[in-house]
């Protein structure tokens, strides 16, 4: 019989790409809001806080994407 590999599905790949995009957007957005709150709390240069919040949020998003990809690419057929 010709069995399909459940790990080689285009729907699974589409879900992964969507999840990775959403992950980066959510982390970056959270960084934006945290930076804005920190700028209001600590004063001086609110825009600088927002920029740093976005950059740190984006870096965290990339880090979590790497973790998700490592988990996704593990060989599950052992």
């Amino acid at each position: 019989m010709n069995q399909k590999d459940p790990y080689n599905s285009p729907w699974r790949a589409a879900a992964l790409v969507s999840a990775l995009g959403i992950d980066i957007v959510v982390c970056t957005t959270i960084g934006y809001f945290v930076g804005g709150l920190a700028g209001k709390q600590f004063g001086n240069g609110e825009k600088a806080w927002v920029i740093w919040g976005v950059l740190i949020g984006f870096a965290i998003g990339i880090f979590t994407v790497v973790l998700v990809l490592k988990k996704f690419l593990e060989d599950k057929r052992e």
Side-chain angles (χ1 to χ4, degrees), residues 10-66:
W11 290 108
R12 187 169 189 243
L16 174 68
V17 170
S18 298
L20 297 180
I22 290 170
D23 184 20
I24 290 176
V25 168
V26 167
C27 289
T28 304
T29 304
I30 290 172
Y32 173 80
F33 286 115
V34 169
L37 289 173
K40 288 178 185 174
Q41 181 73 25
F42 299 114
N44 305 2
E46 183 177 339
K47 289 182 183 179
W49 283 98
V50 171
I51 291 170
W52 278 108
V54 167
L55 290 175
I56 291 171
F58 184 72
I60 291 171
I62 295 296
F63 178 72
T64 57
V65 163
V66 169

